Amino acid sequence: MSEGLFTQLLDLACGAFLLAAVVVLWRRELAAIVRIFALQGVALAVIALVLGLHEDRWGLIVVAVGIGALRAGLLPYLIRRALRAFVAEQNGGDGGLGRHGGSEEARETQPLVNVAASLLTAAALTLLAYAVASPLVELDPTPATRALPVGLAVVLIGFFVLVTRRRALAQVVGFLLLDNGITATAFLAASGVPLIVELGVSFDVLLAVLVLQVLTLRVREAFGTTDIDDLRELHD
Amino acid sequence: MTPATTALLLTAPAAVPLVMSAAYGLTAFVRHEVPQPQLVEKPRLAKKAVAVGVATGPSPTGKAADAGEPLVESPAPRRHTADWAALASPAVILTCAALLAADRVGGGSVSAYSGLLRADALTVWMLLVVGAVALIACASAPAHLAGERAAGSATAWTVWRYHMLVQAFLGTMCLAVVSANLGVLWVAIEATTVVTAFLVGHRRTRTSVEAAWKYVVICSAGIALAFLGTVLLYYAARQAGIAEAWALDWPTLLARADRLDPAVTRLGITLVVLGYGAKAGLVPLHAWLPDAHSQAPAPVSALMSGVLLSVAFAAILRYRVIADAALGPDFTRVLLAGIALLTLALAAGLLLAQRDYKRMLAYSSMEHMSLVALATAIGSPLALAAALLHIAGHGLAKATAFCGSGQILQLRGTSRIGRVRGLLTQSPWLGALFGLAVVALLGFPPFSLFASELGIARAGFAAGAGLGWATATALALVLIAFAALATRTARMLLGPGEPTGENPSALWPLTLGLVACAALGIAVGPLGDLLTQAAAVLERP
């Protein structure tokens, strides 16, 4: 792969990666958010793939395929499955006329910060990421490390989603955005962490999402809604 | 000692609990006591409704997906040998730690699997603490589970699940302690969050589900920061010319720390301290701690408070050595001292207004972890030895206090301090043991927390003006916490009450914990050398 093509492809993938995070902030429909999250997984896999092809490292290409399968396939599938269960239960449970309609359960009806302010925050967070990452880029300026701030920006946006969204499943997506951002940072900075660590991390993330999925069901069972703001029993 | 024996000693502490966990799961499966897997139902019609983005109108097939586990009734009372089998893991951990301690006389280190697992004096010390606290917690479990069975809130499956998860929890903690690779360390610590989630949410009430949700979200997100920090350190290490296989190896990083880029290392270390600090109960990501500790079953609270916090803090200790070698001691000193004082102020403030005795113990854990953080910030040999002694003493005393609080909860059915009165009259043994555990936590002699707090204060005042002031502030805050803890415990213990015929024989694990804590305070004995060597591991090379 020529140097120019490599840089272009890498920048394109990184751009798509960041854009996906911003679009997650923009949309309110949980189904759409999950779809965009899956697209971001594809972009992440492409970043790893491009790096692997550029450096002729087969190990990295295999990791890219694995990452793609996990982040664009399995994790979105798990979230979508939980989402469907809620909507189905809602429609069947109270004839669709209850206080929490199925559509309400599948939407981020009242995020703590509105869409326009969220998008402005995303811009500010991206600038912050560029400022914070400047020593990282200076250490070894290559096309890959110049894209490093993108990974950090997605980490920050993930945190923002986690803090401001109220639906349990939207928070799960926020956690996964955070994780995608870290994985992207690892790829861009050092072509990924050693294989054993990568395997362990992926396994942990998968388990964490499974645990969160079951907990979402229990929150639903105990509180009658997946609105995390209703979790106010424990305080000092 | 042959390499094979070393490998065995290093593998066993993590592998035996994991095998035990699998064995519990398998037994439950063979006995058909596993409930049907709670598959979420997916009616066809609803699927279509999602596909078009709206879900309006009733769907006839939509049946409420039952997320509940079908209750499997416990068969007639039988001898619960399985509850006692759980003691095998702490025994193995303690034995391996003792053999490893004997093996590496002189303060060296042993490693296995091409450096993936490694034991130095600090590892052995932490393994001993994990083993001792696990022994108390696992030995208290049969009494706790018997109480649950009597109250009808435990089914055969929940008991199996309890054992499975506790054993897996022990295994992952030991893995975190013995791994030399900082990436594997992260994986193990994150795994502790995953396996304990359902232990926190064990009772499935509104409060425990809320605690479990907060616990998983805050800890996972917080510890993700630590992974980002690890990645940045890996980047710095690769740029410093360390090969891929060794760039996350702790001894290698330490040996070449002077070549790491300071700016990148600074960013990485800050993230690591914040991230593992979340798991160690330090500000700013501490909010999960009082909720999780108050909702988990008592033996699990004992494990979480007694060792999980300090295992996470041991990770910070390891990173601190690298940071000091790369950046000089001032950076981590300011960072850790600041975090320690903030945590201490918060814990002391919230202790003053506390009305729930399990939450009171949880805030007391934050208080003690911040003292350990302060000692680490001071960083002199005396301070580090005191920090490690404090970790051990706090583990033993807090495990005892939490196990005692679990029995009080079963006895009185409430965790409100105001509704528990006259405990000493009602059940003198339990009341006395709980009271003594709190006395140990308050830092009275002969318990070892007295010696370690004295050591921290002495080291702090000897370390210069800035740290002297920090230590003085910390002591003032500790005094506030002391007053709050003492008055509340006195309110629980004293007063009139109806004596009940209690059975003190079930309380031997608590007695054991207190005796060990006192023995450690009177004479460190053969552990003294180990403690000095462990502190030496943490000093700047």
Side-chain angles (χ1 to χ4, degrees), chain B residues 122 126 176-177 185 189 223 272-273 275-282 304 306-321 332 335-337 339-340 343 365-366 368-378 383-384 387-388 390-391 538:
Chain B
L122 177 63
M126 290 308 296
V177 170
L185 169 71
I189 292 190
I223 209 163
V272 163
V273 169
Y276 286 128
K279 201 78 200 182
L282 299 174
M304 287 174 80
V307 274
L308 178 58
L309 301 181
S310 39
V311 165
F313 197 83
I316 297 184
L317 286 173
R318 297 261 181 205
Y319 274 101
R320 180 192 146 271
V321 195
T332 48
L335 187 67
L336 281 171
I339 289 180
T343 313
S365 296
M366 279 172 68
H368 286 286
M369 286 320 288
S370 56
L371 280 179
V372 174
L374 183 69
T376 314
I378 297 166
L384 289 171
L388 292 175
H390 201 75
I391 283 178
L538 290 171

CSV table of all heavy atoms in Angstrom, one decimal, chain B residues 122 126 176-177 185 189 223 272-273 275-282 304 306-321 332 335-337 339-340 343 365-366 368-378 383-384 387-388 390-391 538:
chain,number,residue,atom,x,y,z
B,122,LEU,N,6.1,-7.9,47.8
B,122,LEU,CA,4.8,-7.3,47.8
B,122,LEU,C,3.7,-8.2,47.4
B,122,LEU,O,2.6,-8.3,48.0
B,122,LEU,CB,4.8,-6.1,46.8
B,122,LEU,CG,3.5,-5.3,46.7
B,122,LEU,CD1,3.1,-4.7,48.0
B,122,LEU,CD2,3.6,-4.2,45.6
B,126,MET,N,0.5,-9.3,49.7
B,126,MET,CA,-0.9,-9.1,49.3
B,126,MET,C,-1.6,-10.5,49.3
B,126,MET,O,-2.8,-10.6,49.6
B,126,MET,CB,-1.0,-8.5,47.9
B,126,MET,CG,-0.6,-7.0,47.8
B,126,MET,SD,-1.5,-6.0,49.0
B,126,MET,CE,-3.1,-6.2,48.4
B,176,ALA,N,-4.8,-10.8,39.8
B,176,ALA,CA,-4.4,-9.4,39.7
B,176,ALA,C,-3.1,-9.3,40.5
B,176,ALA,O,-2.2,-8.5,40.2
B,176,ALA,CB,-5.5,-8.5,40.2
B,177,VAL,N,-3.0,-10.0,41.6
B,177,VAL,CA,-1.8,-9.9,42.5
B,177,VAL,C,-0.6,-10.5,41.9
B,177,VAL,O,0.5,-9.9,42.0
B,177,VAL,CB,-2.2,-10.4,43.9
B,177,VAL,CG1,-0.9,-10.5,44.7
B,177,VAL,CG2,-3.2,-9.6,44.6
B,185,LEU,N,-3.0,-7.4,34.5
B,185,LEU,CA,-3.5,-6.9,35.8
B,185,LEU,C,-4.8,-6.1,35.6
B,185,LEU,O,-5.8,-6.3,36.4
B,185,LEU,CB,-2.4,-5.9,36.3
B,185,LEU,CG,-2.8,-5.0,37.5
B,185,LEU,CD1,-2.9,-5.9,38.8
B,185,LEU,CD2,-1.7,-4.0,37.7
B,189,ILE,N,-8.5,-7.0,37.2
B,189,ILE,CA,-9.3,-6.1,38.1
B,189,ILE,C,-10.6,-5.8,37.5
B,189,ILE,O,-11.6,-5.8,38.2
B,189,ILE,CB,-8.4,-4.9,38.4
B,189,ILE,CG1,-7.3,-5.3,39.3
B,189,ILE,CG2,-9.3,-3.8,39.1
B,189,ILE,CD1,-6.5,-4.2,39.8
B,223,ILE,N,-12.6,2.3,35.5
B,223,ILE,CA,-11.4,1.5,35.3
B,223,ILE,C,-11.0,1.5,33.8
B,223,ILE,O,-9.9,1.2,33.4
B,223,ILE,CB,-11.6,0.1,35.8
B,223,ILE,CG1,-10.3,-0.5,36.2
B,223,ILE,CG2,-12.3,-0.8,34.9
B,223,ILE,CD1,-10.4,-1.7,37.1
B,272,VAL,N,-4.2,6.4,35.2
B,272,VAL,CA,-4.2,5.1,35.9
B,272,VAL,C,-4.6,5.4,37.4
B,272,VAL,O,-5.4,4.6,37.9
B,272,VAL,CB,-2.8,4.6,35.8
B,272,VAL,CG1,-2.5,3.5,36.9
B,272,VAL,CG2,-2.5,4.0,34.4
B,273,VAL,N,-4.1,6.5,38.0
B,273,VAL,CA,-4.4,6.7,39.4
B,273,VAL,C,-5.9,7.0,39.5
B,273,VAL,O,-6.6,6.4,40.4
B,273,VAL,CB,-3.6,7.9,39.9
B,273,VAL,CG1,-4.1,8.3,41.3
B,273,VAL,CG2,-2.1,7.5,40.0
B,275,GLY,N,-8.3,5.9,37.5
B,275,GLY,CA,-9.0,4.7,37.2
B,275,GLY,C,-9.0,3.7,38.3
B,275,GLY,O,-10.0,3.2,38.7
B,276,TYR,N,-7.8,3.3,38.7
B,276,TYR,CA,-7.7,2.3,39.8
B,276,TYR,C,-8.2,2.9,41.1
B,276,TYR,O,-8.7,2.2,41.9
B,276,TYR,CB,-6.3,1.7,39.9
B,276,TYR,CG,-5.9,0.8,38.8
B,276,TYR,CD1,-4.7,0.9,38.1
B,276,TYR,CD2,-6.7,-0.3,38.5
B,276,TYR,CE1,-4.4,0.1,37.1
B,276,TYR,CE2,-6.4,-1.2,37.5
B,276,TYR,CZ,-5.2,-1.0,36.8
B,276,TYR,OH,-4.9,-1.9,35.8
B,277,GLY,N,-8.1,4.2,41.2
B,277,GLY,CA,-8.7,4.9,42.4
B,277,GLY,C,-10.2,4.7,42.5
B,277,GLY,O,-10.7,4.6,43.6
B,278,ALA,N,-10.8,4.6,41.3
B,278,ALA,CA,-12.3,4.3,41.3
B,278,ALA,C,-12.5,3.0,42.0
B,278,ALA,O,-13.4,2.9,42.8
B,278,ALA,CB,-12.8,4.3,39.9
B,279,LYS,N,-11.7,2.0,41.7
B,279,LYS,CA,-11.9,0.7,42.3
B,279,LYS,C,-11.5,0.7,43.7
B,279,LYS,O,-11.9,-0.2,44.5
B,279,LYS,CB,-11.1,-0.3,41.4
B,279,LYS,CG,-11.5,-1.7,41.5
B,279,LYS,CD,-12.8,-2.0,40.7
B,279,LYS,CE,-13.3,-3.3,41.3
B,279,LYS,NZ,-14.4,-3.9,40.7
B,280,ALA,N,-10.5,1.6,44.1
B,280,ALA,CA,-10.0,1.6,45.5
B,280,ALA,C,-10.9,2.5,46.3
B,280,ALA,O,-10.5,2.7,47.5
B,280,ALA,CB,-8.6,2.0,45.5
B,281,GLY,N,-11.9,3.1,45.8
B,281,GLY,CA,-12.8,3.9,46.6
B,281,GLY,C,-12.3,5.3,46.9
B,281,GLY,O,-12.6,5.9,47.8
B,282,LEU,N,-11.5,5.8,46.0
B,282,LEU,CA,-10.9,7.2,46.1
B,282,LEU,C,-11.7,8.2,45.3
B,282,LEU,O,-12.2,7.8,44.2
B,282,LEU,CB,-9.4,7.2,45.8
B,282,LEU,CG,-8.5,6.3,46.6
B,282,LEU,CD1,-7.1,6.3,46.0
B,282,LEU,CD2,-8.5,6.7,48.0
B,304,MET,N,-14.9,-7.4,49.6
B,304,MET,CA,-14.8,-6.2,48.8
B,304,MET,C,-14.1,-5.1,49.5
B,304,MET,O,-13.1,-4.5,49.0
B,304,MET,CB,-16.2,-5.7,48.3
B,304,MET,CG,-16.8,-6.5,47.3
B,304,MET,SD,-18.5,-6.0,47.0
B,304,MET,CE,-18.2,-4.6,45.9
B,306,GLY,N,-12.4,-5.4,52.5
B,306,GLY,CA,-11.1,-5.9,53.1
B,306,GLY,C,-10.0,-6.0,52.1
B,306,GLY,O,-8.9,-5.6,52.4
B,307,VAL,N,-10.3,-6.6,50.9
B,307,VAL,CA,-9.2,-6.8,50.0
B,307,VAL,C,-9.3,-6.2,48.6
B,307,VAL,O,-8.4,-5.8,48.0
B,307,VAL,CB,-8.8,-8.3,49.8
B,307,VAL,CG1,-7.9,-8.7,50.9
B,307,VAL,CG2,-10.0,-9.2,49.8
B,308,LEU,N,-10.6,-6.2,48.1
B,308,LEU,CA,-10.7,-5.7,46.7
B,308,LEU,C,-10.1,-4.2,46.6
B,308,LEU,O,-9.4,-3.9,45.7
B,308,LEU,CB,-12.1,-5.7,46.2
B,308,LEU,CG,-12.4,-5.1,44.8
B,308,LEU,CD1,-11.6,-5.9,43.8
B,308,LEU,CD2,-13.9,-5.2,44.5
B,309,LEU,N,-10.5,-3.4,47.6
B,309,LEU,CA,-10.0,-2.0,47.6
B,309,LEU,C,-8.4,-2.0,47.6
B,309,LEU,O,-7.8,-1.3,46.8
B,309,LEU,CB,-10.5,-1.3,48.8
B,309,LEU,CG,-12.0,-1.1,48.9
B,309,LEU,CD1,-12.3,-0.3,50.2
B,309,LEU,CD2,-12.6,-0.5,47.7
B,310,SER,N,-7.8,-2.9,48.4
B,310,SER,CA,-6.4,-2.8,48.5
B,310,SER,C,-5.7,-3.5,47.4
B,310,SER,O,-4.6,-3.1,47.0
B,310,SER,CB,-5.9,-3.4,49.9
B,310,SER,OG,-6.6,-4.5,50.2
B,311,VAL,N,-6.4,-4.5,46.7
B,311,VAL,CA,-5.8,-5.1,45.5
B,311,VAL,C,-5.7,-4.0,44.4
B,311,VAL,O,-4.7,-3.9,43.7
B,311,VAL,CB,-6.6,-6.3,45.0
B,311,VAL,CG1,-6.2,-6.7,43.6
B,311,VAL,CG2,-6.3,-7.5,46.0
B,312,ALA,N,-6.8,-3.2,44.3
B,312,ALA,CA,-6.8,-2.1,43.3
B,312,ALA,C,-5.7,-1.1,43.7
B,312,ALA,O,-5.0,-0.6,42.9
B,312,ALA,CB,-8.1,-1.5,43.2
B,313,PHE,N,-5.6,-0.9,45.0
B,313,PHE,CA,-4.6,0.1,45.4
B,313,PHE,C,-3.1,-0.4,45.2
B,313,PHE,O,-2.2,0.4,44.9
B,313,PHE,CB,-4.7,0.5,46.9
B,313,PHE,CG,-4.0,1.8,47.2
B,313,PHE,CD1,-4.6,3.0,46.9
B,313,PHE,CD2,-2.7,1.8,47.7
B,313,PHE,CE1,-3.9,4.2,47.1
B,313,PHE,CE2,-2.0,3.0,47.9
B,313,PHE,CZ,-2.6,4.2,47.6
B,314,ALA,N,-3.0,-1.7,45.3
B,314,ALA,CA,-1.6,-2.3,45.0
B,314,ALA,C,-1.2,-2.0,43.6
B,314,ALA,O,0.0,-1.8,43.3
B,314,ALA,CB,-1.7,-3.8,45.3
B,315,ALA,N,-2.2,-2.0,42.7
B,315,ALA,CA,-1.9,-1.6,41.3
B,315,ALA,C,-1.4,-0.2,41.2
B,315,ALA,O,-0.4,0.1,40.5
B,315,ALA,CB,-3.2,-1.7,40.4
B,316,ILE,N,-2.0,0.7,42.0
B,316,ILE,CA,-1.5,2.1,42.0
B,316,ILE,C,-0.1,2.1,42.6
B,316,ILE,O,0.8,2.9,42.1
B,316,ILE,CB,-2.4,3.0,42.9
B,316,ILE,CG1,-3.8,3.1,42.2
B,316,ILE,CG2,-1.9,4.4,43.0
B,316,ILE,CD1,-4.8,4.0,42.9
B,317,LEU,N,0.2,1.3,43.6
B,317,LEU,CA,1.5,1.3,44.2
B,317,LEU,C,2.6,0.9,43.2
B,317,LEU,O,3.6,1.4,43.1
B,317,LEU,CB,1.5,0.2,45.4
B,317,LEU,CG,0.9,0.7,46.7
B,317,LEU,CD1,0.8,-0.5,47.6
B,317,LEU,CD2,1.6,1.8,47.3
B,318,ARG,N,2.2,-0.1,42.3
B,318,ARG,CA,3.1,-0.6,41.3
B,318,ARG,C,3.4,0.5,40.3
B,318,ARG,O,4.5,0.8,39.9
B,318,ARG,CB,2.5,-1.8,40.5
B,318,ARG,CG,2.3,-3.0,41.4
B,318,ARG,CD,3.4,-4.0,41.2
B,318,ARG,NE,3.2,-5.2,42.0
B,318,ARG,CZ,4.2,-5.9,42.4
B,318,ARG,NH1,5.5,-5.6,42.1
B,318,ARG,NH2,4.0,-7.0,43.2
B,319,TYR,N,2.3,1.2,39.9
B,319,TYR,CA,2.5,2.3,38.9
B,319,TYR,C,3.3,3.4,39.5
B,319,TYR,O,4.0,4.1,38.8
B,319,TYR,CB,1.2,2.8,38.4
B,319,TYR,CG,0.6,2.0,37.2
B,319,TYR,CD1,-0.4,1.0,37.4
B,319,TYR,CD2,1.1,2.2,35.9
B,319,TYR,CE1,-0.9,0.3,36.4
B,319,TYR,CE2,0.6,1.4,34.9
B,319,TYR,CZ,-0.4,0.5,35.1
B,319,TYR,OH,-0.9,-0.2,34.1
B,320,ARG,N,3.1,3.7,40.8
B,320,ARG,CA,3.8,4.8,41.4
B,320,ARG,C,5.3,4.7,41.3
B,320,ARG,O,6.0,5.6,41.1
B,320,ARG,CB,3.4,4.9,42.9
B,320,ARG,CG,4.0,6.1,43.6
B,320,ARG,CD,3.8,6.0,45.1
B,320,ARG,NE,5.0,6.5,45.7
B,320,ARG,CZ,6.0,5.8,46.1
B,320,ARG,NH1,6.1,4.5,45.8
B,320,ARG,NH2,7.1,6.4,46.6
B,321,VAL,N,5.8,3.4,41.5
B,321,VAL,CA,7.2,3.2,41.4
B,321,VAL,C,7.7,3.6,40.0
B,321,VAL,O,8.8,4.3,39.9
B,321,VAL,CB,7.6,1.8,41.7
B,321,VAL,CG1,9.1,1.7,42.0
B,321,VAL,CG2,6.8,1.2,42.8
B,332,THR,N,3.6,12.2,41.6
B,332,THR,CA,2.6,11.3,42.3
B,332,THR,C,2.3,11.8,43.7
B,332,THR,O,1.2,11.5,44.3
B,332,THR,CB,3.1,9.9,42.4
B,332,THR,OG1,4.5,9.9,42.8
B,332,THR,CG2,3.1,9.2,41.0
B,335,LEU,N,-0.4,14.4,43.5
B,335,LEU,CA,-1.6,13.8,43.1
B,335,LEU,C,-2.2,12.9,44.2
B,335,LEU,O,-3.4,13.1,44.5
B,335,LEU,CB,-1.3,12.9,41.8
B,335,LEU,CG,-2.4,12.3,41.1
B,335,LEU,CD1,-3.2,13.4,40.4
B,335,LEU,CD2,-1.9,11.4,40.0
B,336,LEU,N,-1.4,12.1,44.7
B,336,LEU,CA,-2.0,11.1,45.7
B,336,LEU,C,-2.4,11.9,47.0
B,336,LEU,O,-3.4,11.6,47.6
B,336,LEU,CB,-1.0,10.0,46.0
B,336,LEU,CG,-0.9,8.9,45.0
B,336,LEU,CD1,0.2,8.0,45.3
B,336,LEU,CD2,-2.2,8.1,45.0
B,337,ALA,N,-1.6,12.8,47.4
B,337,ALA,CA,-1.9,13.5,48.7
B,337,ALA,C,-3.2,14.3,48.5
B,337,ALA,O,-4.1,14.3,49.4
B,337,ALA,CB,-0.8,14.5,49.1
B,339,ILE,N,-5.7,13.6,46.4
B,339,ILE,CA,-6.8,12.7,46.3
B,339,ILE,C,-7.1,12.1,47.7
B,339,ILE,O,-8.3,12.0,48.2
B,339,ILE,CB,-6.5,11.5,45.4
B,339,ILE,CG1,-6.6,12.0,43.9
B,339,ILE,CG2,-7.5,10.4,45.5
B,339,ILE,CD1,-6.3,11.0,42.9
B,340,ALA,N,-6.0,11.8,48.5
B,340,ALA,CA,-6.2,11.3,49.8
B,340,ALA,C,-7.0,12.3,50.7
B,340,ALA,O,-7.9,11.9,51.4
B,340,ALA,CB,-4.9,10.9,50.4
B,343,THR,N,-10.7,12.6,49.7
B,343,THR,CA,-11.5,11.4,50.1
B,343,THR,C,-11.7,11.4,51.6
B,343,THR,O,-12.8,11.1,52.0
B,343,THR,CB,-10.7,10.1,49.7
B,343,THR,OG1,-10.2,10.3,48.4
B,343,THR,CG2,-11.6,8.9,49.8
B,365,SER,N,-14.2,2.5,55.3
B,365,SER,CA,-13.2,1.9,54.4
B,365,SER,C,-12.6,3.0,53.6
B,365,SER,O,-11.3,3.0,53.3
B,365,SER,CB,-13.9,1.0,53.4
B,365,SER,OG,-14.4,-0.1,54.1
B,366,MET,N,-13.4,4.0,53.1
B,366,MET,CA,-12.8,5.1,52.3
B,366,MET,C,-11.8,5.9,53.2
B,366,MET,O,-10.8,6.3,52.7
B,366,MET,CB,-13.9,6.0,51.9
B,366,MET,CG,-14.7,5.5,50.6
B,366,MET,SD,-16.1,6.5,50.2
B,366,MET,CE,-15.4,8.0,49.7
B,368,HIS,N,-10.0,4.7,55.6
B,368,HIS,CA,-8.7,4.0,55.7
B,368,HIS,C,-7.9,3.9,54.4
B,368,HIS,O,-6.7,4.0,54.4
B,368,HIS,CB,-9.0,2.6,56.3
B,368,HIS,CG,-9.3,2.6,57.7
B,368,HIS,ND1,-8.4,2.8,58.7
B,368,HIS,CD2,-10.5,2.5,58.4
B,368,HIS,CE1,-8.9,2.9,59.9
B,368,HIS,NE2,-10.2,2.7,59.7
B,369,MET,N,-8.6,3.8,53.3
B,369,MET,CA,-7.9,3.8,52.0
B,369,MET,C,-7.2,5.1,51.8
B,369,MET,O,-6.1,5.2,51.2
B,369,MET,CB,-8.9,3.5,50.9
B,369,MET,CG,-9.3,2.0,50.8
B,369,MET,SD,-8.1,0.8,51.1
B,369,MET,CE,-7.1,0.9,49.7
B,370,SER,N,-7.9,6.2,52.2
B,370,SER,CA,-7.2,7.5,52.0
B,370,SER,C,-6.0,7.6,52.9
B,370,SER,O,-5.0,8.3,52.5
B,370,SER,CB,-8.2,8.7,52.2
B,370,SER,OG,-8.7,8.6,53.4
B,371,LEU,N,-6.0,7.0,54.1
B,371,LEU,CA,-4.8,7.0,54.9
B,371,LEU,C,-3.7,6.3,54.2
B,371,LEU,O,-2.5,6.7,54.2
B,371,LEU,CB,-5.0,6.4,56.2
B,371,LEU,CG,-5.8,7.3,57.3
B,371,LEU,CD1,-6.0,6.5,58.5
B,371,LEU,CD2,-4.9,8.5,57.5
B,372,VAL,N,-4.0,5.1,53.5
B,372,VAL,CA,-3.0,4.4,52.8
B,372,VAL,C,-2.5,5.2,51.6
B,372,VAL,O,-1.3,5.3,51.4
B,372,VAL,CB,-3.6,3.1,52.3
B,372,VAL,CG1,-2.6,2.3,51.4
B,372,VAL,CG2,-4.0,2.2,53.4
B,373,ALA,N,-3.4,5.9,51.0
B,373,ALA,CA,-3.0,6.8,49.9
B,373,ALA,C,-2.0,7.9,50.4
B,373,ALA,O,-1.0,8.2,49.7
B,373,ALA,CB,-4.2,7.4,49.1
B,374,LEU,N,-2.3,8.4,51.5
B,374,LEU,CA,-1.5,9.5,52.1
B,374,LEU,C,-0.1,8.9,52.4
B,374,LEU,O,0.9,9.6,52.1
B,374,LEU,CB,-2.1,10.1,53.3
B,374,LEU,CG,-1.4,11.2,54.0
B,374,LEU,CD1,-1.4,12.4,53.1
B,374,LEU,CD2,-1.9,11.5,55.4
B,375,ALA,N,-0.1,7.7,53.0
B,375,ALA,CA,1.2,7.1,53.3
B,375,ALA,C,2.0,6.9,52.0
B,375,ALA,O,3.2,7.1,52.0
B,375,ALA,CB,1.0,5.8,54.0
B,376,THR,N,1.3,6.5,50.9
B,376,THR,CA,2.0,6.3,49.7
B,376,THR,C,2.6,7.6,49.1
B,376,THR,O,3.7,7.6,48.6
B,376,THR,CB,1.0,5.7,48.6
B,376,THR,OG1,0.3,4.6,49.3
B,376,THR,CG2,1.8,5.1,47.4
B,377,ALA,N,1.8,8.7,49.3
B,377,ALA,CA,2.3,10.0,48.9
B,377,ALA,C,3.5,10.4,49.6
B,377,ALA,O,4.5,10.9,49.0
B,377,ALA,CB,1.2,11.0,49.1
B,378,ILE,N,3.6,10.0,50.9
B,378,ILE,CA,4.8,10.4,51.7
B,378,ILE,C,6.0,9.6,51.2
B,378,ILE,O,7.0,10.2,50.9
B,378,ILE,CB,4.6,10.1,53.2
B,378,ILE,CG1,3.4,10.9,53.7
B,378,ILE,CG2,5.8,10.3,54.0
B,378,ILE,CD1,2.9,10.5,55.1
B,383,ALA,N,6.9,5.0,55.8
B,383,ALA,CA,5.5,5.2,55.4
B,383,ALA,C,5.0,4.1,54.5
B,383,ALA,O,3.9,3.7,54.7
B,383,ALA,CB,5.4,6.5,54.6
B,384,LEU,N,5.9,3.5,53.6
B,384,LEU,CA,5.4,2.5,52.8
B,384,LEU,C,5.1,1.2,53.6
B,384,LEU,O,4.1,0.5,53.4
B,384,LEU,CB,6.4,2.2,51.7
B,384,LEU,CG,6.5,3.3,50.6
B,384,LEU,CD1,7.7,3.1,49.7
B,384,LEU,CD2,5.2,3.3,49.8
B,387,ALA,N,2.0,1.7,55.3
B,387,ALA,CA,0.8,1.6,54.4
B,387,ALA,C,0.5,0.1,54.2
B,387,ALA,O,-0.7,-0.3,54.2
B,387,ALA,CB,1.1,2.2,53.1
B,388,LEU,N,1.5,-0.7,54.0
B,388,LEU,CA,1.2,-2.2,53.8
B,388,LEU,C,0.7,-2.8,55.1
B,388,LEU,O,-0.3,-3.6,55.0
B,388,LEU,CB,2.5,-2.9,53.3
B,388,LEU,CG,3.0,-2.5,52.0
B,388,LEU,CD1,4.3,-3.1,51.7
B,388,LEU,CD2,2.0,-2.8,50.9
B,390,HIS,N,-1.1,-1.2,57.2
B,390,HIS,CA,-2.4,-0.7,57.4
B,390,HIS,C,-3.4,-1.5,56.5
B,390,HIS,O,-4.5,-1.8,56.9
B,390,HIS,CB,-2.4,0.8,57.0
B,390,HIS,CG,-3.6,1.5,57.6
B,390,HIS,ND1,-3.6,1.9,58.9
B,390,HIS,CD2,-4.7,2.0,57.0
B,390,HIS,CE1,-4.8,2.5,59.1
B,390,HIS,NE2,-5.5,2.6,58.0
B,391,ILE,N,-2.9,-1.8,55.3
B,391,ILE,CA,-3.8,-2.6,54.4
B,391,ILE,C,-4.2,-3.9,55.0
B,391,ILE,O,-5.3,-4.3,55.0
B,391,ILE,CB,-3.0,-2.9,53.0
B,391,ILE,CG1,-3.0,-1.6,52.2
B,391,ILE,CG2,-3.6,-4.1,52.3
B,391,ILE,CD1,-2.3,-1.7,50.9
B,538,LEU,N,8.8,-1.2,46.8
B,538,LEU,CA,8.1,0.0,46.3
B,538,LEU,C,8.9,1.2,46.4
B,538,LEU,O,8.4,2.3,46.0
B,538,LEU,CB,6.9,0.2,47.2
B,538,LEU,CG,5.8,-0.9,47.0
B,538,LEU,CD1,4.7,-0.8,48.1
B,538,LEU,CD2,5.2,-0.8,45.7
